[in-house]
Amino acid sequence: MKNLNEEKEFLKQLMDMLEQQLGSYTEIVLHDLKKDYANTIIDIRNGHVTDREIGGTGSNLGLEVLQGTVKDGNRFNYITRLKDNRVLRSSSLYIKDDQGDLIGCLCVNTDITDTVKMESYLKELNHYDIEPAERQEVFVTEVNQLLEYLLQEGQKLVGKPACIMNREEKIQFLKYLNDKGAFLITKSGERIQSFLGISKYTMYSYLDMIKNEASAEKNE
């Protein structure tokens, strides 16, 4: 395949299927990355989710992939947040031509704002501790998998996605990671900063607060 137009009919059928299967809360977007980045969208369904339409632009993540900063741009089931604080669960699949060059991207964005609120409400209503009574041992093939596991577990503990945590919840999240030894993993700080969307300075300020509080409690 040299360009998306060669598979125009198949891609249309794929978009039709996804639209019918996933419903009105899910936006499906097809980008032609051979076009100017200001107007890459060539097909979009349920554009009301992000208020975009045909002729619109891609996201910052697409720019990073095109720039070559990110080598493997495919990302599945990640969380993003819109300017109005709505929460999306997203996946992006990049399409390459016969020579391996990027020519397109298919994105799926589901608005989960209401279900996240409901999840938080139910947790508060039930007062149910889903954490196991005994410590769970996790076996991984490489250490970064362990870090990702701890990030997800910390998110569960707080009870909401990292992108909508407030300051106190981020501190709670960092305390959990610190207690679990996550910062002993090489270069874990960079991944944690990215996951929380905070600067290195902010992260270490929070960690200092956690350590000072722990020290004060110990000396009481």
Side-chain angles (χ1 to χ4, degrees), residues 59-187:
S59 72
N60 60 307
L61 297 181
L63 277 178
E64 293 176 3
V65 175
L66 286 173
Q67 177 65 21
T69 307
V70 176
K71 298 301 181 183
D72 183 7
N74 292 342
R75 298 181 65 194
F76 308 128
N77 198 33
Y78 59 93
I79 298 297
T80 56
R81 184 171 63 176
L82 301 178
K83 291 182 179 180
D84 58 7
N85 287 325
R86 281 184 294 134
V87 183
L88 304 183
R89 183 166 56 83
S90 303
S91 291
S92 300
L93 178 67
Y94 285 84
I95 305 169
K96 297 181 179 181
D97 62 15
D98 296 335
Q99 283 70 46
D101 295 323
L102 292 174
I103 58 174
C105 182
L106 179 64
C107 301
V108 177
N109 304 302
T110 301
D111 188 339
I112 61 171
T113 307
D114 291 339
T115 54
V116 168
K117 291 179 180 178
M118 180 59 71
E119 183 180 3
S120 179
Y121 165 75
L122 290 174
K123 184 175 181 180
E124 177 67 23
L125 178 67
N126 291 335
H127 294 285
Y128 179 64
D129 184 6
I130 61 174
E131 294 295 317
E134 299 181 359
R135 293 179 181 175
Q136 181 182 4
E137 186 172 11
V138 179
F139 298 94
V140 297
T141 57
E142 57 101 5
V143 73
N144 285 334
Q145 294 175 358
L146 185 57
L147 178 59
E148 292 303 317
Y149 167 78
L150 292 173
L151 292 175
Q152 296 305 319
E153 290 300 299
Q155 201 166 233
K156 288 179 185 177
L157 177 68
V158 175
K160 63 174 65 173
C163 63
I164 59 172
M165 290 181 191
N166 59 33
R167 178 177 179 273
E168 289 70 25
E169 289 162 343
K170 288 180 179 179
I171 292 174
Q172 179 189 6
F173 179 87
L174 286 172
K175 184 179 185 304
Y176 169 84
L177 293 182
N178 188 61
D179 290 345
K180 294 298 182 180
F183 289 95
L184 298 177
I185 298 173
T186 303
K187 295 184 178 180

Side-chain angles (χ1 to χ4, degrees), residues 18-51:
L18 292 173
E19 180 183 14
Q20 293 298 314
Q21 177 71 24
L22 299 176
S24 62
Y25 282 88
T26 298
E27 175 190 75
I28 306 102
V29 192
L30 181 63
H31 295 275
D32 184 343
L33 298 181
K34 290 296 184 180
K35 292 180 173 291
D36 186 280
Y37 204 72
N39 50 21
T40 61
I41 298 177
I42 59 173
D43 195 351
I44 186 169
R45 312 298 171 86
N46 299 320
H48 60 84
V49 172
T50 61
D51 294 325

